[in-house]
Amino acid sequence: MKKILLILAVLSLAFRVSCQEAEEPVVITAPDSTIDKQAYTFSAEGVTISVSYGSAYPAEHAWNNIGRTYFACLANGSVTFSAEKKIKGIAVNGWVKKNFSATCNKGTLNYLSDESEDTTGEPVLTISDIDSSAVTLTCNNQLRCFSVEFYFTQNPGEIEGEVMDTVRFTAVQTEASDYSEDETYSSEGHYSYWLMLAPEEGYPQVWLDLYSAVKGDLSGEYSLYDYNVGNYTYVQLSASELDYEYAYDQAFTITKSGENYHVEGWIIAENDVQYEFVYDGLIKLSQEEEEGIESVQQSIIRVQKILRGGQVYIIRNERTYTPAGAEVK
């Protein structure tokens, strides 16, 4: 009887091991924690991921406008993937910044990249024929990982993805809502402004929710990783008040020479379109329209943000909305 039970136990163990070996890839998702521009390591299911310089944001984090958890290896950083047994290949489902390139110390590397546009893919990057328990990937530009698939008996499939659509325009109209005196939105060294940029034809309009270091001066480099942009950057697509898309990523630079500003950068909206813009000229820091320019800006949707009962609301042409777009009666 004992012999029969022993045989059954061995067969059961063999069956479980067989099933485990068949269950690949092993999928590792981003850690549910906040990590800001530093080295970090996390492990799961016998796999360890070590990033020399990067960040990680859970989906609900205030600085994560993409709505899904990811971990990132930032520019000129490296990420090492290791496991308790030999890895055959890996596939990264994620996003790479424009002009992305990378190298690895083992295996054959393939990735999506475009010299002028950001790229997403499922996967966006693969390494095949690693045949080692560890491989290190070095990135010249940012790599965001939504999940990483580990293969131990076979190589990952081919890369599938697409380069984001891009809209480029030169702005000729601007408005800047000034909240620098409002302690609800501003604090010392963190002054709130809402800057609108629009082309000659009126749309698309880009509204940048930014926080400058110096009151009355918009100069600076702005991005999620610099902690000086807010959650209310968006693109207005037409004259319809509800025809807009919030941004989930953005980066732009503002410089000042004399009385004029130079603004240049991009946002990525929730419609997965990247909007690139440039502007040269004056920017009036006021919530009031400048006298005599009403005819020039008559196509501009006037927008304001307010705090009421602890909730932020958006006012568009005297109508009040929640940030999600629902009108408040």
Side-chain angles (χ1 to χ4, degrees):
M1 184 66 179
K2 290 182 179 179
K3 185 175 182 181
I4 293 174
L5 291 175
L6 178 61
I7 293 172
L8 289 174
V10 171
L11 290 174
S12 177
L13 176 61
F15 177 76
R16 290 198 302 270
V17 170
S18 176
C19 288
Q20 289 171 355
E21 290 179 349
E23 291 176 357
E24 70 170 41
V26 173
V27 179
I28 305 300
T29 57
D32 190 18
S33 57
T34 300
I35 301 168
D36 302 312
K37 291 184 176 180
Q38 60 183 287
Y40 62 92
T41 298
F42 65 98
S43 301
E45 299 188 41
V47 168
T48 298
I49 298 176
S50 300
V51 180
S52 69
Y53 179 62
S55 301
Y57 295 102
E60 66 276 8
H61 192 273
W63 292 101
N64 185 348
N65 291 340
I66 197 172
R68 60 189 298 185
T69 301
Y70 68 84
F71 71 92
C73 177
L74 300 181
N76 301 314
S78 62
V79 52
T80 297
F81 305 98
S82 58
E84 297 172 350
K85 55 184 177 180
K86 282 189 176 181
I87 305 168
K88 183 65 176 179
I90 66 169
V92 176
N93 300 312
W95 173 100
V96 291
K97 197 169 181 63
K98 63 183 179 181
N99 199 33
F100 176 83
S101 66
T103 58
C104 62
N105 65 339
K106 294 182 179 71
T108 301
L109 174 65
N110 285 287
Y111 52 82
L112 293 173
S113 181
D114 186 90
E115 64 182 17
S116 60
E117 299 179 1
D118 300 327
T119 308
T120 57
E122 300 282 344
V124 73
L125 178 149
T126 64
I127 307 176
S128 303
D129 297 319
I130 297 169
D131 297 323
S132 175
S133 60
V135 59
T136 297
L137 176 73
T138 303
C139 306
N140 81 315
N141 221 330
Q142 185 184 158
L143 165 68
R144 292 182 179 181
C145 305
F146 307 137
S147 64
V148 181
E149 300 174 359
F150 285 78
Y151 295 82
F152 300 96
T153 63
Q154 60 184 345
N155 279 315
E158 296 181 358
I159 288 178
E160 296 179 2
E162 59 182 358
V163 175
M164 284 189 173
D165 292 335
T166 301
V167 174
R168 300 179 178 89
F169 68 86
T170 298
V172 298
Q173 303 177 53
T174 70
E175 286 187 14
S177 298
D178 185 349
Y179 299 91
S180 62
E181 298 289 343
D182 191 335
E183 294 182 359
T184 302
Y185 305 106
S186 296
S187 58
E188 186 175 355
H190 202 68
Y191 299 102
S192 176
Y193 297 92
W194 219 359
L195 175 62
M196 186 282 296
L197 304 170
E200 185 174 2
E201 55 271 26
Y203 299 93
Q205 300 169 8
V206 168
W207 291 77
L208 303 173
D209 185 9
L210 63 93
Y211 293 85
S212 71
V214 179
K215 183 184 290 188
D217 187 347
L218 302 183
S219 301
E221 294 186 2
Y222 297 89
S223 74
L224 293 176
Y225 298 107
D226 291 314
Y227 299 100
N228 53 10
V229 294
N231 295 328
Y232 301 103
T233 291
Y234 69 95
V235 56
Q236 186 74 36
L237 301 172
S238 73
S240 172
E241 292 183 356
L242 295 182
D243 189 16
Y244 64 92
E245 298 279 350
Y246 277 108
Y248 65 74
D249 199 2
Q250 57 192 292
F252 54 93
T253 301
I254 302 177
T255 56
K256 190 175 185 181
S257 177
E259 296 298 318
N260 290 331
Y261 281 97
H262 175 79
V263 184
E264 186 170 0
W266 52 268
I267 70 171
I268 302 176
E270 291 177 339
N271 57 0
D272 286 329
V273 176
Q274 178 165 299
Y275 296 87
E276 298 180 358
F277 47 84
V278 63
Y279 171 76
D280 286 286
L282 293 170
I283 296 176
K284 179 178 173 59
L285 303 181
S286 174
Q287 291 185 2
E288 300 297 327
E289 275 195 19
E290 205 171 340
E291 189 175 335
I293 65 172
E294 185 175 351
S295 61
V296 176
Q297 297 197 358
Q298 60 185 350
S299 66
I300 300 299
I301 290 178
R302 299 202 55 76
V303 182
Q304 182 181 7
K305 62 181 175 181
I306 63 171
L307 186 69
R308 183 187 300 164
Q311 171 67 48
V312 174
Y313 293 95
I314 310 300
I315 298 178
R316 286 185 170 85
N317 290 345
E318 301 181 356
R319 299 172 68 179
T320 303
Y321 301 89
T322 68
E327 185 172 2
V328 179
K329 302 296 183 179

